[in-house]
Amino acid sequence: MTILTPQESTLSDSAIVGLAEAALADIARVRESVGRVIFGQESVVEQTVIAILGGGHALLVGVPGLAKTKLVDTLGVAMGLDARRIQFTPDLMPSDIIGTEVMDQDETGRRSFRYVKGPVFAQLLMADEINRASPRTQSALLQAMQEYHVTVAGERYDLPAPFHVLATQNPLEQEGTYPLPEAQLDRFLMQVDVHYPDLASERRILLETGGSEDHAEPVLGAERLREIQMLVRRMPVPDSVVDAILNLVRSARPGSGHKEADTHIAWGPGPRASQSLMTCVRARALYEGRLAPSIDDVMALAEPILQHRMALNFAARAEGMSVRDVIAALKRDVA
């Protein structure tokens, strides 16, 4: 038995299979195009692409120099999206992101206001070092991420479709930063941890430094990406996967009766985490060339989807535990 919404049920199984097979080929070409430029970060590329296929935003967390900016640029080219970058600084104002009104004067001397759009009007926006901006500026971006429009002088301006934010954050340097509020963290479909490359990948980086650099080739376009995103939400999900998602997310909440959660978690993920898992397991199945998600997809995506939606209590932090340790324990019990 599978779970389908009324909109999803309008397509027959054979129609979904046909659309999925075409999407598999396109996604494979995207992976190949990105792989020419980015190597040694397979899990990072996978999770970031899954976030985009799921129609959401991603928070890339890692030390400087791990090709986070290059990844966003490469994805913009491979997916055929209008990509822009904003370097967040403490003096960045909301108008620097969403735009502002300027006064024009025509040849008759008549004056009027004209809205000049900011860099947020992009299909793929890189918010570099997002935690360096003030809460006032972060709240302006929050509206764009959640509502997909901005409001200037009482007027609503819709953002391009699709619209994705890939934000970066340095986990080491926290002096002079403004930690993202929980409400904004929850708007990120997943948190992608960017680690150091392995030995073989770093050797390849050294050997190719200064040589002829490969470039990504455009594979998709905005309209094709939207078609795949709609397909992701139509894919059937087995009951066993739905149950695994519910068990995992609900067990991560204190008071749920799970010993690990009751002992170490101060607050846990809400229903948006369940929705995110439901979407991303479908996208991961397509990314790996499969037509249906499995429980393995739930386990693989548990950490990037849950870790920024949970907080440890004082006792857990005093013991030196991390959110990843708790999620690993929850996964063992659900599996």
Side-chain angles (χ1 to χ4, degrees):
M1 181 178 178
T2 56
I3 305 298
L4 289 175
T5 66
Q7 292 79 11
E8 293 168 342
S9 61
T10 58
L11 286 178
S12 65
D13 290 343
S14 59
I16 293 179
V17 170
L19 293 173
E21 289 177 345
L24 293 179
D26 287 339
I27 295 172
R29 291 168 58 209
V30 169
R31 295 178 61 177
E32 180 184 358
S33 180
V34 174
R36 296 174 184 171
V37 181
I38 306 294
F39 39 84
Q41 299 287 6
E42 287 79 8
S43 64
V44 174
V45 173
E46 174 185 316
Q47 293 173 17
T48 308
V49 173
I50 287 172
I52 295 176
L53 295 179
H57 316 291
L59 179 63
L60 307 178
V61 179
V63 300
L66 297 182
K68 299 186 293 295
T69 302
K70 194 176 190 66
L71 171 62
V72 178
D73 292 340
T74 303
L75 287 174
V77 173
M79 293 189 170
L81 302 178
D82 175 24
R84 300 186 185 182
R85 177 177 179 266
I86 302 176
Q87 180 65 51
F88 278 66
T89 57
D91 60 347
L92 195 71
M93 298 296 291
S95 58
D96 296 325
I97 295 177
I98 65 176
T100 187
E101 287 190 320
V102 297
M103 181 175 289
D104 283 342
Q105 181 173 320
D106 60 19
E107 61 276 3
T108 65
R110 181 181 177 184
R111 296 179 179 180
S112 60
F113 285 102
R114 175 173 58 90
Y115 174 55
V116 178
K117 294 181 178 180
V120 74
F121 285 85
Q123 294 169 327
L124 185 63
L125 178 67
M126 180 178 187
D128 206 358
E129 295 187 290
I130 187 174
N131 58 331
R132 289 196 173 278
S134 67
R136 180 181 180 186
T137 303
Q138 290 180 8
S139 65
L141 185 61
L142 173 61
Q143 181 193 20
M145 292 171 59
Q146 180 64 25
E147 306 296 336
Y148 295 95
H149 70 261
V150 298
T151 304
V152 178
E155 293 292 329
R156 167 176 168 161
Y157 299 91
D158 292 330
L159 295 170
F163 173 71
H164 302 282
V165 174
L166 298 181
T168 68
Q169 188 169 289
N170 180 356
L172 301 179
E173 190 176 359
Q174 297 300 320
E175 184 177 354
T177 63
Y178 302 87
L180 296 179
E182 286 76 12
Q184 187 157 359
L185 285 173
D186 197 29
R187 263 62 178 188
F188 286 100
L189 193 61
M190 63 173 68
Q191 174 182 317
V192 181
D193 292 332
V194 185
H195 302 291
Y196 295 110
D198 57 32
L199 176 60
S201 298
E202 192 160 1
R203 178 184 294 274
R204 181 179 173 187
I205 292 172
L206 292 178
L207 294 176
E208 295 195 5
T209 300
S212 58
E213 185 177 353
D214 285 331
H215 298 280
E217 294 182 357
V219 175
L220 304 179
E223 289 303 318
R224 179 55 180 154
L225 177 58
R226 293 188 68 189
E227 291 174 359
I228 296 177
Q229 290 172 341
M230 294 178 63
L231 172 64
V232 167
R233 297 180 179 274
R234 293 189 180 104
M235 290 177 62
V237 180
D239 274 353
S240 58
V241 175
V242 177
D243 292 339
I245 292 173
L246 288 172
N247 292 337
L248 178 64
V249 175
R250 293 181 65 84
S251 67
R253 301 168 184 165
S256 62
H258 192 282
K259 181 180 178 181
E260 192 73 29
D262 293 341
T263 305
H264 298 118
I265 299 178
W267 53 270
R272 188 179 280 118
S274 304
Q275 293 175 314
S276 299
L277 267 172
M278 191 74 165
T279 300
C280 288
V281 294
R282 293 160 157 163
R284 186 174 190 267
L286 275 182
Y287 183 86
E288 295 200 337
R290 293 179 280 112
L291 300 181
S294 66
I295 295 179
D296 290 339
D297 296 316
V298 179
M299 298 298 106
L301 295 173
E303 184 176 301
I305 288 179
L306 296 182
Q307 63 178 325
H308 60 296
R309 294 183 166 100
M310 301 168 58
L312 300 180
N313 56 29
F314 177 79
R317 295 196 302 272
E319 295 174 11
M321 295 191 64
S322 68
V323 172
R324 299 181 187 87
D325 296 330
V326 177
I327 294 176
L330 297 175
K331 286 167 56 178
R332 287 194 296 268
D333 291 344
V334 171

